[in-house]
Amino acid sequence: MVDRNYVSEYTKFMDKFLQENPEVAKGQVEGRALLWDKEPINLDERARHEESRVNK
């Protein structure tokens, strides 16, 4: 049987750390936006772009 109420020492530490240092969480959100959150790709535009490329 698994104890669903168990919270690891690491999770407790990180929760406390992030609560005491909210700027860290803000930096994480900004970093994610910079590296991962991108506009959706328009497949029609991408196909036209690929077709218009000149082969060398």
Side-chain angles (χ1 to χ4, degrees):
M1 183 169 189
V2 177
D3 182 6
R4 301 282 181 201
N5 296 317
Y6 172 76
V7 179
S8 72
E9 293 297 318
Y10 177 77
T11 300
K12 291 176 187 176
F13 168 78
M14 287 305 299
D15 288 344
K16 182 179 177 187
F17 176 80
L18 291 173
Q19 189 173 32
E20 294 172 355
N21 301 285
E23 69 278 359
V24 173
K26 183 181 178 193
Q28 289 176 324
V29 170
E30 291 172 356
R32 178 191 166 107
L34 178 67
L35 297 174
W36 296 103
D37 296 341
K38 306 289 183 193
E39 292 293 321
I41 297 172
N42 182 321
L43 296 178
D44 292 331
E45 284 183 27
R46 184 173 181 159
R48 284 197 311 272
H49 175 74
E50 291 297 321
E51 290 173 1
S52 68
R53 293 180 69 170
V54 176
N55 293 331
K56 291 184 178 183

